[in-house]
Amino acid sequence: MANPVINIRDTGRNSARTGDVRGLADNVVSSWTSTTTGTIAVTDDTNTDVSFTQPADTILRNLIAIPAGNIVTAGGSGNDVDFSLGTSSGGAQLVATEAILDDGGSAVTWTANAPLYLIQDSHGHAANAFVGTGVTAGVVGGPATSEAIVIAATLYSASARTLYARLTPIGADLATAATTVTFLVEFLHLGVLPD
């Protein structure tokens, strides 16, 4: 069965017919995958890597990271936990290496089960975007300080490809880790769906 053609009718500046909205919703397709790291290395400058496959003709819409336990920096300036995302192992082609826990001289905690949208709606974040400061900002248990996450290249791919995420403690051993991090990844399918 071929995908239906959606014909949006002008019913006024601020209105849409229910059938039109349902038709659009029926044609938005996304898929999810997840992967979990091995135990996060407590040791300074030790990488923890995971990989996942991006389907063809999709854009990476959301990348959410959730630790199973607390991750806490050492408490000295520069004792960070860095994140990067690339198209090659250890690469940073899509998101350059940035501190998602940015220790400026006071230990920073990422609380167990606090989801961080490292990429949200195909966008990065301003510095300190994860701190839970209320209903409209951050997440309860998110790190109080973080560097900006800037998308460095297109998140779209015409062909299937492997993406690589990396977490690295820098500056000193972590005060607490010995846990895993699960990455939930959503892809938005942009092409015509098969019959």
Side-chain angles (χ1 to χ4, degrees), residues 72-137:
V72 183
T73 62
S77 186
N79 300 159
D80 302 336
V81 174
D82 285 351
F83 164 77
S84 64
L85 181 66
T87 55
S88 62
S89 182
Q93 294 85 4
L94 301 179
V95 175
T97 303
E98 301 293 349
I100 58 173
L101 282 77
D102 188 16
D103 192 328
S106 182
V108 179
T109 301
W110 181 8
T111 304
N113 302 311
L116 299 187
Y117 276 76
L118 300 174
I119 296 173
Q120 185 172 17
D121 292 329
S122 303
H123 294 78
H125 294 287
N128 305 324
F130 301 128
V131 61
T133 58
V135 177
T136 61

Side-chain angles (χ1 to χ4, degrees), residues 28-61:
V28 173
V29 177
S30 63
S31 61
W32 287 85
T33 190
S34 67
T35 185
T36 301
T37 67
T39 301
I40 300 293
V42 176
T43 309
D44 178 29
D45 292 325
T46 302
N47 301 317
T48 301
D49 297 325
V50 294
S51 64
F52 48 90
T53 301
Q54 178 174 2
D57 202 23
T58 62
I59 187 168
L60 194 161
R61 182 170 185 182

